């Protein structure tokens, strides 16, 4: 079945695949795209052996719709892609959001825009992950910065998807996907695996009547619940309803079920931030040179620290705002021309300087580049 | 009628049917009336809540009678009509 | 007169009666086709709780919303990939894709041909009313050449798909075409198709008076039904190539393809691959009660 406990040496892509299987994923539908294809290849080899189904679909739209269907068929399901495929999946992410279907999408970001540099790193899909589909909705996005985190955060992604009945995006980048590192696989009993909430009884069951946590139980098919799932705005019965009040109730709940639980969902990692005066904000592969830069800065007596956005969406505004009281400069190091920097500026709200340290794609910041920025900000 | 006797058709008892109509569902498309093989359905002068003239049964026994073929019950797009065979001896 | 006014229909039990009257225009064929579908399901004697109906966007896309069953109304053109995933997860369910021509073979054409190629175990009811009705009557991949639509005001320049030919060429194992007039035969065909396995396509020509008929000399639904009555020719096992719809020529309807005995479905292959590794340690729920009567008369 899933990997037995122990130490392994594998790539980021493989770690996501194994993490998914560990979390109970038994359905993968995908389409080849550099740099995520190895993930699909591993799933193709591993899923049949663990009692799961792998299918390569005709395109990314087919892939994500197939996992949404499989999820409603009762399986934990995921797909993996990169920028161009992720763009094709956006409409379906919105469909998964309004129908509250638990799915996991691993977006291995590469240098864009467009075809860009398929085999080179990028981090330019961050805003697309949040705002890619149309209309108001919320998703969760986690961002690993080590191969171990690729394993661990994939389990977390599935747990979050099942708990909140929402699409969860693993925002990886190419460098991490192809990086080989040590991975410790825990024992099953040491890890909490969350499964979706099921309805208690069929008696006057309303498929979209949420509990206090704003999350409705998810009915299984084939057992006489006779429920209707639609992308149209729908009421608690699941009936299509073209009515502003029903829209307000539904959309407010779809968003609030994530916003009210933001503190519980958000899990970020800080490094030497206790007495930091300068904060480097980074995620994914950039976290590694950032840590090195902070060590170098500290050795020069500069009080620098790192905020690693292990959860990008919902964005940790509160935490950033709190640090804005103590820090005079935020340096946002991201491999794009400014995306997360806007959210940091919004959270800091003028209480500190926010500087963008961009990389246009294809390469990660070097520790020296980050160090120079820290020195300048002193 | 002569050759019918020769063929003994006169003795064959044709199935008779009864038609059930859900007046307010009818949208006056006329399919049941047009394609009833026995031509026993007609547009009523009365109309339903939406202003559509629902069908009614107008028989001219022994030839023009409902034989419960059920075509109206399938072709109706509104699920507004269906027919059932009359049991032997059951009068309409 | 043998007549009674009542307030329920014999097939109401399959419907969300509280949502009637439905959305389709007076004279539209979708209601008749849905009626025939429910009768066909009844004739097939399958448990409605095990029948999952999936649709995409369009007038026909609204069908599942009226069914008192487990139903999914997905996005435009993507009913089939959704159904592929659902069916793979639950091979014991009857998964029916019930959608329109615009949804299934115009925007959704790529998914349609690939599911046929893979022989995914899906029953596809494809309601072909020759245009995009919901959005007001635009041209689609099935609009006959020369037909007037809101986006071909000077006549459709393009050639339409021949759906039976397309489905057969892509690998569908059961292909039939009926119309919203031939509802009895359609019900039998659906009943028969329920007991087949693999990618099964039943194209149902339907009238669309409001946005298509009105602009093409058939303003009332009944006009097109009369046209079907006078122009359709039932020819079972005709060559799908000849099923082309050309104005002025007879339309061939009936069953074109029925080769389901020997063709393994994708679901069987995928789950047998799992069985190869896990043997009896996994219980694979294939479609229960799948009886394959040779021919249902009809």
């Amino acid at each position: 079945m899933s990997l037995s406990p122990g130490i392994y040496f594998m790539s980021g892509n493989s770690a996501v695949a194994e993490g998914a299987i560990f979390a109970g994923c038994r359905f993968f539908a995908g389409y080849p795209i550099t740099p995520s294809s190895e993930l699909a290849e591993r799933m193709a080899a591993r899923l049949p052996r663990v009692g799961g189904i792998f299918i390569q679909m005709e395109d990314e739209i087919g892939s994500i719709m197939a996992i949404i269907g499989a999820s409603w068929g009762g399986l934990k399901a995921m797909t993996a892609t990169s920028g161009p495929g992720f763009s094709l999946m956006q409409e379906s992410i919105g469909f998964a959001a309004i129908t509250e279907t638990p799915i996991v999408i691993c977006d291995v970001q590469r240098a864009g825009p467009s075809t860009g540099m398929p085999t080179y790193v990028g981090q330019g899909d961050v805003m697309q992950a949040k705002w890619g589909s149309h209309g108001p909705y919320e998703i969760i996005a986690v961002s690993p910065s080590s191969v171990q985190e690729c394993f661990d955060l994939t389990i977390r992604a599935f747990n979050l998807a099942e708990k909140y009945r929402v699409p969860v995006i693993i925002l990886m980048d190419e460098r991490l996907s192809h990086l080989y590192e040590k991975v410790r696989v825990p024992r099953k009993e040491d890890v909490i695996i969350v499964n979706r909430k099921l309805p208690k009884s069929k008696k006057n069951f309303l498929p979209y009547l949420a509990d206090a946590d704003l999350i409705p139980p998810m009915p299984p098919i084939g057992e006489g619940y006779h429920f209707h799932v639609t992308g149209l705005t729908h009421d608690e019965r699941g009936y299509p309803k073209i009515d502003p009040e029903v829209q307000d109730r539904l959309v407010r709940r779809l968003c609030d079920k994530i916003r009210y639980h933001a503190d519980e969902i958000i899990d970020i990692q800080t490094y030497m931030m206790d007495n930091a005066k300068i904060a480097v904000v980074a995620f994914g592969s950039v976290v590694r040179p950032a840590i090195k830069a902070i060590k170098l800065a500290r050795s020069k007596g500069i009080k620098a620290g790192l905020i690693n956005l292990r959860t990008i969406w919902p964005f940790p505004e509160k935490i950033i705002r709190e640090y804005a009281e103590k820090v005079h400069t935020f340096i946002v190091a991201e491999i794009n021309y400014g995306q997360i920097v806007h959210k940091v500026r919004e959270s800091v709200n003028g209480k500190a300087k926010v500087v963008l340290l961009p990389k246009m794609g294809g390469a990660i910041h070097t520790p020296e580049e980050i160090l120079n920025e820290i020195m300048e900000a002193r | 009628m002569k050759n019918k006797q020769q063929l003994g058709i006169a003795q064959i008892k044709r199935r008779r049917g009864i038609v059930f109509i859900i007046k307010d569902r009818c949208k006056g498309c006329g399919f049941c009336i047009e394609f009833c093989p026995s031509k026993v359905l007609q547009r009523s002068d009365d109309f339903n809540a939406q202003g559509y003239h629902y069908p009614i049964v107008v028989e001219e026994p022994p030839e023009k009678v409902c034989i419960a073929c059920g075509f109206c019950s399938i072709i109706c797009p509104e699920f507004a009509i269906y027919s059932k065979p009359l049991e032997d001896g059951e009068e309409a | 007169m043998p007549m009674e006014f009542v307030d329920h229909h014999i097939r109401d039990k399959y419907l969300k009666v509280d949502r009637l009257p439905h959305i389709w225009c007076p004279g539209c064929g979708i209601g008749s086709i849905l009626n025939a579908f429910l009768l066909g399901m009844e004739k097939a004697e399958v448990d409605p709780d095990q029948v999952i109906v999936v649709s995409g966007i369009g007038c026909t896309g609204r069908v599942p919303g009226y069914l008192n069953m487990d139903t999914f109304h997905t996005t435009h053109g993507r009913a089939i990939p959704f159904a592929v995933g659902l069916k793979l997860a639950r091979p014991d369910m009857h998964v029916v894709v019930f959608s329109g021509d615009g949804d299934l073979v115009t925007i959704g054409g790529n998914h349609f041909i690939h599911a046929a190629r893979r022989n995914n175990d899906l029953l596809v009811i494809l309601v072909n009313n020759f245009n995009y009705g919901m959005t007001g009557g635009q041209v689609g991949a099935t609009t006959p050449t020369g037909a007037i639509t809101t986006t071909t005001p000077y006549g459709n320049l393009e050639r339409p798909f021949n759906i039976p030919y397309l489905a057969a060429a892509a690998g569908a194992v059961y292909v039939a075409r009926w119309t919203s007039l031939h509802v009895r035969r359609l019900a039998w065909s659906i009943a028969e198709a329920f007991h087949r396995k693999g990618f099964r396509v039943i194209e149902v020509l339907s009238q669309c008076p409001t946005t298509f008929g009105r602009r093409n000399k058939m303003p009332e639904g009944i006009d097109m039904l009369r046209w079907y009555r006078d122009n359709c020719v039932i020819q079972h096992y005709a060559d799908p190539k000849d099923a082309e719809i050309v104005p002025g020529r007879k339309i061939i309807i009936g069953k074109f393809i029925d080769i389901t005995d020997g063709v393994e479905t994708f679901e069987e292959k995928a789950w047998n691959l799992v069985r190869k590794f896990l043997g009896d340690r996994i219980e694979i729920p294939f479609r229960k009660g799948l009886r394959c009567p040779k021919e249902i008369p009809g």
Side-chain angles (χ1 to χ4, degrees):
Chain A
M1 296 308 278
S2 51
L3 288 183
S4 46
I7 306 290
Y8 294 82
F9 184 65
M10 63 175 83
S11 70
N13 274 342
S14 297
V16 169
E18 288 306 331
I21 290 170
F22 190 96
C25 170
R26 289 300 177 270
F27 187 89
F28 182 95
Y31 186 81
I33 184 167
T34 302
S36 78
S37 306
E38 298 87 353
L39 203 162
E41 287 158 6
R42 183 149 185 142
M43 280 303 212
R46 290 278 289 134
L47 274 177
R49 291 170 175 273
V50 297
I53 296 288
F54 168 86
I55 181 170
Q56 181 173 304
M57 294 295 284
E58 49 273 13
D59 55 31
E60 285 89 350
I61 301 172
S63 301
I64 186 162
M65 286 307 287
I67 68 169
I68 296 171
S71 186
W72 279 100
L75 296 181
K76 290 187 182 181
M78 82 174 288
T79 186
T81 188
S82 182
F86 194 47
S87 298
L88 287 176
M89 294 183 175
Q90 292 309 316
E91 182 197 2
S92 306
I93 286 173
F95 177 67
I98 198 173
T99 54
E100 300 179 84
T101 310
I103 55 169
V104 171
I105 304 131
C106 181
D107 174 27
V108 185
Q109 300 168 90
R110 74 193 204 182
S114 187
T115 313
M117 296 193 287
T119 57
Y120 277 60
V121 65
Q123 291 185 328
D125 310 356
V126 184
M127 284 300 176
Q128 179 182 26
K130 170 90 172 87
W131 302 106
S133 201
H134 52 280
Y137 66 100
E138 293 276 346
I139 49 90
I140 296 172
V142 296
S143 178
S145 59
S146 70
V147 176
Q148 181 68 49
E149 275 188 348
C150 289
F151 184 87
D152 299 340
L153 289 190
T154 297
I155 296 171
R156 185 153 197 269
F158 273 96
N159 285 347
L160 290 168
E162 290 287 313
K163 177 159 195 241
Y164 294 99
R165 286 188 62 184
V166 74
V168 176
I169 296 158
I170 304 169
L171 268 175
M172 261 179 49
D173 59 52
E174 174 281 324
R175 205 44 51 91
L176 201 53
S177 67
H178 292 149
L179 177 68
Y180 274 71
E181 272 181 340
K182 182 175 84 170
V183 172
R184 180 188 306 281
V185 173
R187 292 177 315 170
K188 267 281 188 213
E189 49 277 26
D190 297 341
V191 179
I192 298 165
I193 300 292
V194 175
N195 291 314
R196 63 198 62 175
K197 196 195 299 188
L198 296 174
K200 294 184 185 55
S201 93
K202 283 184 207 129
K203 226 165 60 45
N204 42 52
F205 169 69
L206 294 177
Y208 284 95
L209 178 63
D211 301 327
D213 59 8
L214 302 182
I215 302 155
M218 189 169 173
I221 56 170
E223 286 171 26
Y225 281 95
H226 298 166
F227 62 94
H228 179 57
V229 170
T230 177
L232 285 166
T233 295
H234 44 271
D235 60 22
E236 288 68 17
R237 297 169 302 178
Y239 285 14
K241 223 45 177 94
I242 312 302
D243 166 339
E245 268 138 39
V246 173
Q247 167 83 358
D248 181 278
R249 266 204 326 272
L250 174 66
V251 168
R252 203 178 285 274
R253 179 175 67 75
L254 291 179
C255 296
D256 289 348
K257 79 176 175 181
I258 303 297
R259 293 180 186 182
Y260 288 177
H261 297 107
D263 296 344
E264 197 186 312
I265 296 169
I266 289 169
D267 144 50
I268 67 160
Q269 187 192 37
T270 58
Y271 176 69
M272 305 184 102
M273 276 301 292
D274 301 344
N275 60 356
K277 287 294 167 224
I278 298 164
V280 176
V281 178
F283 57 95
S285 304
V286 184
V287 162
R288 311 164 80 101
I291 290 175
K292 177 72 173 161
I294 283 157
K295 283 180 182 160
L296 293 171
R298 286 280 174 172
S299 67
K300 296 177 187 301
I302 304 166
K303 292 194 176 68
L306 166 75
I307 299 173
N308 168 12
L309 298 175
R310 252 197 321 218
T311 318
I312 295 186
W313 309 110
F315 190 75
E317 278 160 42
K318 233 187 322 181
I319 296 168
I320 302 280
R321 201 174 310 131
E322 279 152 16
Y323 279 119
E325 306 292 336
K326 297 182 276 182
V327 158
H328 60 71
T329 302
F330 286 85
I331 298 168
V332 180
E334 49 187 328
I335 307 173
N336 57 51
Y337 204 13
Q339 291 189 17
I340 281 297
V341 66
H342 301 297
K343 284 303 284 185
V344 175
R345 280 206 184 96
E346 178 195 323
S347 312
V348 166
N349 201 11
K351 283 211 223 71
K353 223 167 102 191
V354 177
V355 173
L356 168 66
L357 179 58
K359 274 281 186 179
M360 293 309 146
I364 304 177
H365 303 72
T366 62
E368 291 66 31
E369 281 166 347
I370 300 174
L371 180 61
N372 293 343
E373 203 65 32
I374 293 172
M375 307 275 281
E376 258 176 47
R378 217 167 14 159
Chain B
M1 280 306 278
K2 196 166 174 322
N3 44 23
K4 277 205 173 157
Q5 259 118 21
Q6 280 159 347
L7 291 171
I9 288 176
Q11 285 70 30
I12 295 171
K13 212 168 151 352
R14 274 169 60 173
R15 187 171 68 172
R16 295 289 304 276
I18 175 169
V19 177
F20 299 87
I21 296 153
I22 305 110
K23 268 198 294 190
D24 283 334
R25 288 188 186 176
C26 175
K27 285 185 187 165
C29 66
F31 297 170
C32 57
I33 294 166
E34 172 86 10
F35 298 105
C36 166
S38 308
K39 290 286 172 240
V40 297
L41 294 173
Q42 279 173 11
R43 208 179 282 269
S44 79
D45 296 337
D46 183 15
F47 41 80
N48 66 17
Q50 281 81 26
Y52 294 113
H53 292 279
Y54 52 84
I56 52 165
V57 176
V58 178
E59 288 194 329
E60 288 157 21
E63 288 305 323
K64 262 177 80 178
V65 292
C66 168
I67 53 168
C69 75
F71 195 81
C72 59
S73 24
I74 315 170
I75 195 145
C76 175
E78 311 301 329
F79 299 90
I81 185 169
Y82 63 96
S83 64
K84 274 192 176 154
L86 272 175
E87 299 320 313
D88 290 350
E90 187 188 1
E91 249 321 293
Chain C
M1 286 304 155
M3 173 173 73
E4 221 175 282
F5 292 115
V6 290
D7 57 14
H8 74 282
H9 190 269
I10 39 176
R11 280 186 280 287
D12 273 2
K13 57 177 181 276
Y14 303 117
L15 297 172
K16 287 192 165 76
V17 180
D18 53 346
R19 293 204 64 222
L20 295 179
H22 52 57
I23 191 179
W24 303 305
C25 311
C28 166
I30 295 176
S32 314
I33 297 165
L34 170 58
N35 200 331
F37 168 73
L38 296 175
L39 177 62
M41 185 174 70
E42 225 172 39
K43 282 181 192 296
E45 291 163 5
V46 293
D47 174 3
D49 283 1
Q50 309 283 304
V51 177
I52 316 293
V53 182
V54 180
S55 72
I57 297 300
C59 295
T60 313
R62 295 307 188 89
V63 160
Y66 296 108
L67 293 176
N68 186 20
M69 295 155 63
D70 292 338
T71 59
F72 296 86
H73 178 211
T74 70
T75 47
H76 198 27
R78 321 304 168 187
I80 283 180
F82 178 93
V84 162
L86 185 78
K87 176 67 183 181
L88 277 166
R90 288 296 299 272
D92 57 326
M93 293 288 136
H94 293 275
V95 179
V96 177
V97 174
F98 202 128
S99 219
D101 53 304
D103 187 73
L104 287 175
V105 291
T106 309
I107 185 171
N110 192 29
H111 305 303
F112 180 83
I113 53 176
H114 284 280
R117 172 181 60 79
R118 268 188 235 104
N119 196 27
N120 286 108
D121 187 17
L122 300 174
L123 169 54
V124 179
I125 312 285
L126 193 159
V127 177
N128 179 3
N129 58 12
F130 309 108
N131 77 132
Y132 280 99
M134 178 69 88
T135 40
Q138 294 77 16
V139 68
T142 54
T143 304
T145 309
I148 305 295
T149 72
T150 57
T151 44
T152 58
Y154 310 110
N156 180 22
L157 308 178
E158 300 169 28
R159 296 177 314 169
F161 274 138
N162 167 349
I163 288 176
Y165 196 27
L166 177 69
V173 294
Y174 183 96
V175 177
R177 168 195 279 163
W178 296 107
T179 83
S180 48
L181 173 62
H182 301 81
V183 279
R184 199 187 302 284
R185 287 186 165 85
L186 171 59
W188 278 113
S189 184
I190 288 169
E192 184 177 59
F194 262 110
H195 287 290
R196 294 292 192 276
K197 61 176 183 174
F199 195 72
R200 297 148 281 155
V201 180
I202 300 176
E203 177 193 12
V204 193
L205 306 183
S206 169
Q207 70 279 12
C208 169
T210 307
T211 67
F212 185 77
R214 195 154 50 92
R215 298 188 178 100
N216 293 283
K217 304 190 192 66
M218 294 184 205
E220 295 296 331
I222 204 122
D223 300 327
M224 205 168 217
L225 287 186
R226 289 187 183 120
W227 184 63
Y228 289 148
R229 181 190 54 200
D230 306 333
N231 290 281
C232 289
V233 172
I234 299 175
Q235 268 181 327
H236 289 307
Y237 301 108
D239 183 337
K241 192 165 58 55
D242 304 335
E244 210 180 346
I245 294 178
V246 178
R249 243 174 55 198
K250 292 288 182 193
I251 302 172
I252 295 178
I253 62 175
K255 183 161 64 172
F256 295 88
I257 306 267
D258 185 359
I259 45 169
T260 59
D261 291 344
V263 187
E264 220 182 345
T265 68
F266 181 81
E267 289 73 14
E268 284 166 338
K269 291 183 200 161
W271 280 103
N272 285 336
L273 179 60
V274 172
R275 189 178 281 137
K276 205 178 87 179
F277 295 109
L278 297 179
D280 48 20
R281 268 181 292 141
I282 188 157
E283 193 268 325
I284 299 164
F286 273 102
R287 247 196 301 154
K288 297 190 205 66
L290 183 67
R291 50 184 176 76
C292 275
K294 262 280 150 263
E295 287 285 335
I296 291 191

